[in-house]
Amino acid sequence: IDDEKSDVDKLIAVTGPRSVENTLRLYDEAINQLTLAGNNAFLLYSLADAANLRDKAQALTNKINSAATDLSLNQKVYAALAAVPLPSNDPATRHYLERTLLQYRLSGVDKDEDTRKQIRALQDKISDLTLTFGRNVADGTLKITATRAELDGLPDDYIARHKPAADGAYTLTTDEPDVKPVLNFAADAGLRRRVYLAYSTRAYPKNTQVLRDLLATRQQLATILGYPHFADLNTCLLYT
């Protein structure tokens, strides 16, 4: 984030005519720094074994997402980019600049200060709710018991990894290494169904209110930005 801020400060401080080299390239570097930081934080959030590491990664991901929102609402950066002449002999760079300016307008950069504060708060809330939803899914491991006969069709090494209890029952979980082989290879339709339902509902009912809050907050954002539904806003953001 510090490197991103440094690039943004350099971009804003440019004097004289704006160009691809002295403005758009610095913006691109700032975006790259946020992307690298965000990818690393999200990887740790998704895969870390220890809960405290996932907590730190979740907080860091929120911080990086917030920095990205600040950049998307930075009117000085937008004005600087808008002052860059569109290159006539470089179609790829021209498209990148035009698309960047459009995304800035879609994000609400041209709104007044109070509205931009609301947008920033809503984006932060959406980021936090999205990560909470995913965290509940990742942490919501369920267990399914199966008989040896129900494991027919599964690879021998898969069965060998799951030791039966004293009553002969095998315990499977909704973790990916357990789920995918069952869905792909288990001959027993009943087992496949139980595993699929457990996998699909592993964060229920914990995520019910989280999802409702997320949908409501997305709708608030869409309304402020002038769209009837979040789907309309998201389509514009994705396909511009």
Side-chain angles (χ1 to χ4, degrees):
I1 293 178
D2 290 341
D3 289 338
E4 177 262 340
K5 289 182 178 178
S6 176
D7 288 327
V8 170
D9 289 342
K10 291 176 185 176
L11 184 161
I12 293 173
V14 168
T15 57
R18 293 284 176 176
S19 68
V20 169
E21 286 299 321
N22 69 21
T23 301
L24 184 60
R25 189 172 295 279
L26 285 171
Y27 170 80
D28 190 59
E29 286 297 324
I31 289 293
N32 187 52
Q33 293 297 337
L34 285 178
T35 300
L36 290 172
N39 287 346
N40 288 332
F42 192 76
L43 183 66
L44 188 61
Y45 157 82
S46 302
L47 301 178
D49 287 335
N52 65 318
L53 287 179
R54 295 196 297 274
D55 289 342
K56 291 178 180 178
Q58 183 170 342
L60 184 57
T61 301
N62 268 329
K63 184 177 180 180
I64 294 165
N65 288 345
S66 185
T69 298
D70 286 341
L71 180 57
S72 73
L73 295 171
N74 191 316
Q75 292 184 326
K76 291 182 179 179
V77 173
Y78 174 70
L81 291 169
V84 176
L86 291 172
S88 58
N89 59 347
D90 187 347
T93 301
R94 182 187 183 93
H95 174 73
Y96 178 42
L97 180 55
E98 288 178 331
R99 188 175 187 275
T100 297
L101 292 171
L102 177 56
Q103 286 183 316
Y104 260 95
R105 293 191 292 273
L106 290 172
S107 72
V109 71
D110 55 351
K111 304 295 184 183
D112 60 66
E113 179 63 24
D114 287 341
T115 303
R116 283 185 287 119
K117 285 181 180 179
Q118 293 180 58
I119 292 170
R120 185 178 292 107
L122 289 171
Q123 290 284 24
D124 286 345
K125 186 176 180 180
I126 287 170
S127 175
D128 184 60
L129 288 168
T130 301
L131 290 170
T132 299
F133 186 94
R135 180 67 179 273
N136 288 342
V137 171
D139 292 348
T141 300
L142 300 178
K143 295 181 178 180
I144 308 99
T145 57
T147 65
R148 174 60 185 83
E150 289 177 317
L151 300 182
D152 285 350
L154 285 157
D156 292 338
D157 62 338
Y158 179 95
I159 297 173
R161 284 192 294 107
H162 297 80
K163 307 301 180 184
D167 62 357
Y170 289 76
T171 298
L172 313 178
T173 73
T174 52
D175 292 338
E176 293 283 345
D178 273 4
V179 170
K180 290 300 176 66
V182 171
L183 297 181
N184 288 331
F185 303 116
D188 189 281
L191 176 61
R192 295 198 307 271
R193 183 176 187 276
R194 295 203 310 277
V195 168
Y196 174 79
L197 289 176
Y199 180 77
S200 300
T201 59
R202 60 198 186 280
Y204 176 82
K206 195 171 185 178
N207 261 346
T208 301
Q209 191 58 50
V210 177
L211 181 58
R212 287 173 178 163
D213 292 343
L214 177 58
L215 294 175
T217 307
R218 285 175 170 175
Q219 184 57 41
Q220 284 181 272
L221 177 64
T223 301
I224 285 178
L225 292 173
Y227 290 85
H229 305 289
F230 179 76
D232 298 293
L233 170 61
N234 201 42
T235 299
C236 289
L237 291 172
L238 289 175
Y239 295 106
T240 55

